[in-house]
Amino acid sequence: MIYETPEDWRDAPHKRVLFYGMSGLGKTHLSNMLRGSGGWFHYSIDYRIGTRYMGELIADNAKRHAMQVPFLRELLLSDSIYIGSNITFDNLAPVSTYLGKPGNPERGGLPIDDYHHRQEQFRQAEIAALNDTGHFVERAQSLYGYPHFICDTGGSICEWVDGDDPNDPLLTELSQQCLLVQLRGTDAHTQELIRRFDRAPKPMAYQPEFLDTAWNVYLKENNMLPTDVDPDTFIRWTYARALAHRAPRYDAMAPWGLTLEASDVAQVKDTDDFDALIMRALENRG
């Protein structure tokens, strides 16, 4: 780790952290708080994916739908209107909308082959965005003059790494750039995430092997054809299984850095609280 002791962290002129864990456990809360303090550069992996690596795919998909409307088609062909996604740190909906959900097209679903293709596009985009972390560490200091750096990752980082492999290329690169910090919840947190998702299901990325297994089991259990699947019902059914699948993968990543409990993170109000939490975790690890 780039900080081994509480003193290393306390005395570092340039503090660099990467947050990972399930969605809803405080990554955005911490990132926004630190950014708001004025001394931290906030590098959002999802924002980078949507603007740099999937921006054209997202815009082209919107144009493809617009071209089905004769009035809009004429305006697009004559370059009279422009269609683009308005991605911000607080609105990453264009990325999840592009990912979509598999199932009956009449209910807004995608054919499973198209869905797999978009999942692969996202996988490649997320890995590329994560590998850009070092570039943004340098850019934050040399171009913008920020002394400290946050990498705010998406919930699917654990799908593309193997924490048990001491030579995992992505974890090796990231751990050389930042202190990796897992935010870990309790079973109660997990149940609340499931209830929240059930109220408002949204697309997410899956490891290919997990997705294939879930899709085939769902079809068999419900005696369905792919075109019979209600997209929202499928991703609701899949969500709890996806969390259970990810939990040991997050834990396998833990030795590469620190683990903070979500209940402790929720109490952080300012940078002093955050520094104290990191230093306490480093002391306990030591």
Side-chain angles (χ1 to χ4, degrees):
M1 298 193 305
I2 61 175
Y3 313 101
E4 294 286 348
T5 68
E7 293 73 25
D8 288 344
W9 177 265
R10 181 194 65 198
D11 299 334
H14 304 294
K15 296 180 171 71
R16 309 197 301 266
V17 294
L18 178 149
F19 298 132
Y20 71 91
M22 294 179 186
S23 298
L25 294 183
K27 297 192 300 291
T28 300
H29 162 69
L30 280 182
S31 298
N32 288 339
M33 183 275 296
L34 293 172
R35 185 181 74 218
S37 72
W40 291 77
F41 182 92
H42 181 186
Y43 176 50
S44 166
I45 293 298
D46 284 338
Y47 181 79
R48 179 69 167 169
I49 290 170
T51 54
R52 171 64 176 85
Y53 291 107
M54 295 185 71
E56 187 174 287
L57 295 171
I58 292 167
D60 283 353
N61 186 52
K63 291 174 186 175
R64 190 170 294 109
H65 284 276
M67 290 286 278
Q68 298 173 18
V69 180
F71 173 73
L72 296 178
R73 177 183 175 84
E74 289 186 17
L75 292 173
L76 284 168
L77 290 175
S78 63
D79 290 328
S80 299
I81 61 172
Y82 168 79
I83 292 179
S85 63
N86 189 27
I87 292 178
T88 67
F89 279 13
D90 299 318
N91 178 22
L92 298 164
V95 177
S96 60
T97 299
Y98 178 78
L99 267 179
K101 310 165 190 177
N104 187 339
E106 294 183 358
R107 297 186 180 184
L110 290 168
I112 191 62
D113 288 344
D114 291 349
Y115 185 69
H116 270 294
H117 181 61
R118 294 191 185 191
Q119 288 278 315
E120 176 60 19
Q121 289 173 328
F122 183 88
R123 184 189 71 83
Q124 293 181 20
E126 183 162 30
I127 291 172
L130 288 163
N131 276 316
D132 285 345
T133 300
H135 167 69
F136 276 89
V137 166
E138 191 279 330
R139 190 180 185 207
Q141 293 178 20
S142 65
L143 182 60
Y144 297 110
Y146 284 93
H148 311 308
F149 179 88
I150 319 147
C151 179
D152 178 12
T153 71
S156 51
I157 182 176
C158 66
E159 304 285 26
W160 327 129
V161 301
D162 180 1
D164 292 323
D165 179 1
N167 299 310
D168 183 87
L170 188 52
L171 286 175
T172 298
E173 167 63 19
L174 293 172
S175 64
Q176 291 171 351
Q177 300 296 337
C178 299
L179 175 64
L180 306 191
V181 177
Q182 176 188 196
L183 306 189
R184 182 173 62 190
T186 62
D187 289 342
H189 282 112
T190 300
Q191 293 306 311
E192 175 56 28
L193 292 177
I194 292 171
R195 285 191 292 270
R196 189 185 307 172
F197 189 89
D198 191 61
R199 291 193 298 269
K202 64 179 183 178
M204 61 186 293
Y206 307 103
Q207 187 187 64
E209 295 81 4
F210 170 83
L211 175 60
D212 284 339
T213 299
W215 181 252
N216 291 328
V217 168
Y218 185 83
L219 294 179
K220 183 176 181 180
E221 285 186 357
N222 293 279
N223 193 27
M224 282 184 171
L225 295 172
T227 51
D228 296 330
V229 174
D230 177 83
D232 283 341
T233 302
F234 172 73
I235 65 171
R236 284 190 177 102
W237 179 88
T238 305
Y239 185 69
R241 291 164 175 78
L243 295 188
H245 159 78
R246 287 182 175 182
R249 300 188 67 85
Y250 288 132
D251 288 341
M253 296 169 63
W256 291 79
L258 300 178
T259 297
L260 302 180
E261 301 302 330
S263 55
D264 293 331
V265 169
Q267 304 304 313
V268 172
K269 304 302 181 186
D270 53 33
T271 55
D272 289 340
D273 289 348
F274 178 68
D275 286 341
L277 188 60
I278 291 293
M279 291 170 67
R280 187 162 63 248
L282 284 167
E283 184 175 11
N284 291 339
R285 179 185 171 93

